[in-house]
Amino acid sequence: MKYIIAIVQPSRLEAVKEALSKVEVFRLTVGDVQGLGRQKGHTEIYRGHEYQVNLVRKVKLEIAVNDDFVDPTIEAIIRGARSGPEGKIGDGKIFILPLEDVIRIRTGERGGEAI
Amino acid sequence: MRQSKIFRSPLLIGATFGGLLLAGSVWAQALPPVAPSAPVPEIKIDSGATAWILASSALVLFMTPGLALFYAGMVRTKNVLGTLMHSMFCMAIITVQWVIIGYSISFGDPTFGGLLGSMKYLFLNNVACDRAFPGYPIPHLLHMAYQMMFAIITPALISGAFAERIRFGAFVVFTLLWSTLVYDPLAHWVWGGGLLSMAEGSWLRRTVGVGALDFAGGTVVHISSGVSALVFCLMIGKRRGYPKEAMLPNSLAMTVVGAGILWFGWFGFNGGSSLNSDPLAVSAFVATHIAAAAAAFSWALVEWFHRGKASILGVVTGLVAGLVCITPAAGFVKPMPALVMGLAVSPVCYFMVAVIKTKLGYDDSLDAFGVHGVGGTLGALMTGIFCSEEICKLSGFATSAGLKQLQAQAVAVAVTIVYSAIVTVILVILVDKTIGIRLCADDELSGLDLSQHGETGYNP
């Protein structure tokens, strides 16, 4: 089992969700996050005053999957989150972590069954 | 150190207010008998006029919650409630102050050579609901209520300058004192027959030949609050982290709604200032609208050229600047000069808030001075340039544009600036020495909402 964390552009979230459902990954947690990366930031102007906004808004997806689903999930996220065929700085990252155990609270089931 | 003083502040607020009351009643008794004012023709109360001024009073009151939203949208998330409070609480405290003493200082018979109103309206004595306000077809009590709404919003305007860093107790004490010692005398000088007014024998008429024209409060409301705002923000100092840290507005949508309410309410502010339901009210109403629109338009244009994009914050700031600028002029100018005034005010205010403020490095956080002080001054001066004899006649003032009127306007502006600045300096020192004006570092970092009011604006 793996725990997949993906940081993507907020505007790509719908595309990622669609791509994931095509490979039958339906269970995920999504959160609004802000972060610093290679994308640097942007400037905002209020009444003629420029502000450098360096924390960029992103969406974080967290997905627990059984081993067979790891590669399709990664491919789906890339398909949904990459801007254009070349991709762009700021498209995000995917982190894969080993997952020790999963417990479904309602039934007490553990492991792969509970995912 | 400052922390411990928090416990003392409610007591001090009470003491200040009590002292104020006591001083008022002592003064009332000590005064020489009031000189009989010039006979004013008895006018009957008119139902149409009464209806419009009742509605206008409500419109002007509504501007204060509008201002609360306008300001609160621009501060950081942790200060949204504290900033709303600065405007909303003025509705509470200034109403109390006004009915006890404020109305009398502003509109009592001129005493001490037109320096202050007499105490004949203390506690609203002699303010009847069934007798007309001298010279106008509305009940005296309605005049009191209408003017009260102006007294409420004026100190609220200042709160843009000390946003995000003032102690609540200090705000309350300062506001009460400022209203009593700056706003009320100024209202008397300009509208109550005092120093600067059009009244026969006022100081300005004796020196320059004509009185100052201020239809709805260019000097009394906007210059006084704007200049005091500048003085205040210089004295209280910058917000921690300004201008290095990005202090992003928590909700510009809130600011836009607030600006919309201000525009709407301003029809009562200017349109009601003829104190009648007559052609003059219509003229002021239309001039007000045109100036607001023109200024919103010209702010967007300037921003577009200077920064490459027109922003909504720019548009709403421009419309407020236009409303400020037309305020002294609304009942004296024709529609086309109103258009010119609106177009002219935004570039100047923009230059002040976007260029000069940065150069000088003061932290007028929400641009109370840049918009109200600068726009008000410009408006008061342009009133002297654009006032039309034809429209002035409707107000019963025999004057027309010219050097003399411009001179009178300039003197009124200068007196207002000097007087508000001096008294504000004294009041800020006084409040700071007694109860402490600025938040301690921890409180400023955690924000007004939690540290001053024990609540938070946004909860997940």
Tab-separated table of all heavy atoms in Angstrom, chain A residues 2-6 61-65 69-70 73-74 77 94-97:
chain	number	residue	atom	x	y	z
A	2	LYS	N	0.419	2.218	-0.719
A	2	LYS	CA	1.168	3.480	-0.775
A	2	LYS	C	0.240	4.645	-0.429
A	2	LYS	O	-0.987	4.576	-0.654
A	2	LYS	CB	1.713	3.728	-2.196
A	2	LYS	CG	2.685	2.691	-2.682
A	2	LYS	CD	4.033	2.823	-2.000
A	2	LYS	CE	5.003	1.798	-2.577
A	2	LYS	NZ	6.097	1.501	-1.639
A	3	TYR	N	0.848	5.683	0.076
A	3	TYR	CA	0.110	6.917	0.341
A	3	TYR	C	0.625	7.944	-0.649
A	3	TYR	O	1.806	8.276	-0.644
A	3	TYR	CB	0.349	7.367	1.785
A	3	TYR	CG	-0.644	8.401	2.255
A	3	TYR	CD1	-2.002	8.073	2.352
A	3	TYR	CD2	-0.249	9.683	2.605
A	3	TYR	CE1	-2.930	9.002	2.775
A	3	TYR	CE2	-1.167	10.625	3.035
A	3	TYR	CZ	-2.516	10.274	3.126
A	3	TYR	OH	-3.441	11.200	3.556
A	4	ILE	N	-0.228	8.412	-1.530
A	4	ILE	CA	0.196	9.332	-2.587
A	4	ILE	C	-0.271	10.747	-2.256
A	4	ILE	O	-1.455	10.980	-1.992
A	4	ILE	CB	-0.384	8.900	-3.953
A	4	ILE	CG1	0.086	7.485	-4.268
A	4	ILE	CG2	0.002	9.889	-5.052
A	4	ILE	CD1	-0.495	6.933	-5.539
A	5	ILE	N	0.689	11.648	-2.238
A	5	ILE	CA	0.343	13.062	-2.013
A	5	ILE	C	0.683	13.822	-3.290
A	5	ILE	O	1.800	13.714	-3.789
A	5	ILE	CB	1.142	13.646	-0.836
A	5	ILE	CG1	0.785	12.914	0.464
A	5	ILE	CG2	0.866	15.137	-0.695
A	5	ILE	CD1	1.624	13.328	1.650
A	6	ALA	N	-0.274	14.536	-3.818
A	6	ALA	CA	-0.015	15.301	-5.035
A	6	ALA	C	-0.356	16.766	-4.794
A	6	ALA	O	-1.400	17.076	-4.218
A	6	ALA	CB	-0.855	14.760	-6.188
A	61	LEU	N	-3.835	16.770	-2.959
A	61	LEU	CA	-4.659	15.558	-2.965
A	61	LEU	C	-3.934	14.494	-2.174
A	61	LEU	O	-2.712	14.334	-2.308
A	61	LEU	CB	-4.869	15.034	-4.391
A	61	LEU	CG	-5.663	15.906	-5.352
A	61	LEU	CD1	-4.733	16.756	-6.168
A	61	LEU	CD2	-6.520	15.051	-6.257
A	62	GLU	N	-4.667	13.764	-1.358
A	62	GLU	CA	-4.070	12.657	-0.629
A	62	GLU	C	-4.866	11.408	-0.953
A	62	GLU	O	-6.090	11.389	-0.814
A	62	GLU	CB	-4.097	12.959	0.872
A	62	GLU	CG	-3.121	14.067	1.227
A	62	GLU	CD	-3.306	14.599	2.629
A	62	GLU	OE1	-2.837	13.949	3.575
A	62	GLU	OE2	-3.939	15.658	2.765
A	63	ILE	N	-4.152	10.393	-1.442
A	63	ILE	CA	-4.833	9.186	-1.909
A	63	ILE	C	-4.109	7.961	-1.361
A	63	ILE	O	-2.895	7.819	-1.540
A	63	ILE	CB	-4.820	9.106	-3.452
A	63	ILE	CG1	-5.261	10.449	-4.074
A	63	ILE	CG2	-5.717	7.982	-3.948
A	63	ILE	CD1	-4.897	10.598	-5.524
A	64	ALA	N	-4.836	7.085	-0.705
A	64	ALA	CA	-4.254	5.812	-0.260
A	64	ALA	C	-4.649	4.752	-1.281
A	64	ALA	O	-5.823	4.630	-1.630
A	64	ALA	CB	-4.781	5.457	1.122
A	65	VAL	N	-3.635	3.978	-1.791
A	65	VAL	CA	-3.953	2.981	-2.826
A	65	VAL	C	-3.237	1.662	-2.552
A	65	VAL	O	-2.187	1.624	-1.913
A	65	VAL	CB	-3.534	3.479	-4.236
A	65	VAL	CG1	-4.424	4.592	-4.713
A	65	VAL	CG2	-2.078	3.887	-4.267
A	69	PHE	N	-2.594	-0.228	-7.873
A	69	PHE	CA	-3.159	1.042	-8.337
A	69	PHE	C	-2.143	2.172	-8.384
A	69	PHE	O	-2.435	3.248	-8.882
A	69	PHE	CB	-4.319	1.455	-7.411
A	69	PHE	CG	-5.608	0.768	-7.743
A	69	PHE	CD1	-5.912	-0.475	-7.188
A	69	PHE	CD2	-6.521	1.354	-8.622
A	69	PHE	CE1	-7.104	-1.104	-7.502
A	69	PHE	CE2	-7.703	0.714	-8.934
A	69	PHE	CZ	-7.996	-0.531	-8.376
A	70	VAL	N	-0.932	1.910	-7.882
A	70	VAL	CA	0.026	3.004	-7.744
A	70	VAL	C	0.343	3.641	-9.095
A	70	VAL	O	0.178	4.850	-9.279
A	70	VAL	CB	1.321	2.542	-7.049
A	70	VAL	CG1	2.361	3.657	-7.050
A	70	VAL	CG2	1.015	2.110	-5.624
A	73	THR	N	-2.553	5.444	-10.879
A	73	THR	CA	-2.902	6.687	-10.170
A	73	THR	C	-1.921	7.801	-10.528
A	73	THR	O	-2.322	8.927	-10.850
A	73	THR	CB	-2.881	6.448	-8.649
A	73	THR	OG1	-3.783	5.399	-8.337
A	73	THR	CG2	-3.269	7.712	-7.901
A	74	ILE	N	-0.615	7.451	-10.500
A	74	ILE	CA	0.398	8.453	-10.837
A	74	ILE	C	0.184	8.979	-12.251
A	74	ILE	O	0.185	10.187	-12.499
A	74	ILE	CB	1.806	7.855	-10.690
A	74	ILE	CG1	2.079	7.536	-9.214
A	74	ILE	CG2	2.863	8.798	-11.229
A	74	ILE	CD1	3.320	6.693	-8.990
A	77	ILE	N	-2.801	11.289	-12.451
A	77	ILE	CA	-2.563	12.627	-11.885
A	77	ILE	C	-1.755	13.466	-12.877
A	77	ILE	O	-2.074	14.629	-13.129
A	77	ILE	CB	-1.823	12.531	-10.534
A	77	ILE	CG1	-2.730	11.871	-9.485
A	77	ILE	CG2	-1.399	13.918	-10.052
A	77	ILE	CD1	-2.045	11.564	-8.162
A	94	ILE	N	4.355	15.041	-7.151
A	94	ILE	CA	3.691	13.874	-6.554
A	94	ILE	C	4.676	13.215	-5.589
A	94	ILE	O	5.841	13.014	-5.936
A	94	ILE	CB	3.270	12.862	-7.634
A	94	ILE	CG1	2.335	13.539	-8.653
A	94	ILE	CG2	2.588	11.659	-6.997
A	94	ILE	CD1	2.023	12.679	-9.862
A	95	PHE	N	4.223	12.928	-4.399
A	95	PHE	CA	5.075	12.225	-3.429
A	95	PHE	C	4.456	10.870	-3.134
A	95	PHE	O	3.244	10.772	-2.945
A	95	PHE	CB	5.176	13.011	-2.120
A	95	PHE	CG	5.593	14.449	-2.301
A	95	PHE	CD1	4.675	15.486	-2.162
A	95	PHE	CD2	6.908	14.764	-2.625
A	95	PHE	CE1	5.054	16.808	-2.337
A	95	PHE	CE2	7.304	16.096	-2.789
A	95	PHE	CZ	6.372	17.107	-2.650
A	96	ILE	N	5.298	9.810	-3.099
A	96	ILE	CA	4.793	8.469	-2.798
A	96	ILE	C	5.388	8.024	-1.455
A	96	ILE	O	6.605	8.013	-1.298
A	96	ILE	CB	5.228	7.452	-3.870
A	96	ILE	CG1	5.066	8.036	-5.268
A	96	ILE	CG2	4.486	6.130	-3.695
A	96	ILE	CD1	3.694	8.032	-5.819
A	97	LEU	N	4.540	7.653	-0.540
A	97	LEU	CA	5.012	7.225	0.777
A	97	LEU	C	4.538	5.803	1.042
A	97	LEU	O	3.427	5.437	0.645
A	97	LEU	CB	4.433	8.128	1.874
A	97	LEU	CG	4.970	9.548	2.058
A	97	LEU	CD1	4.583	10.452	0.909
A	97	LEU	CD2	4.435	10.119	3.360
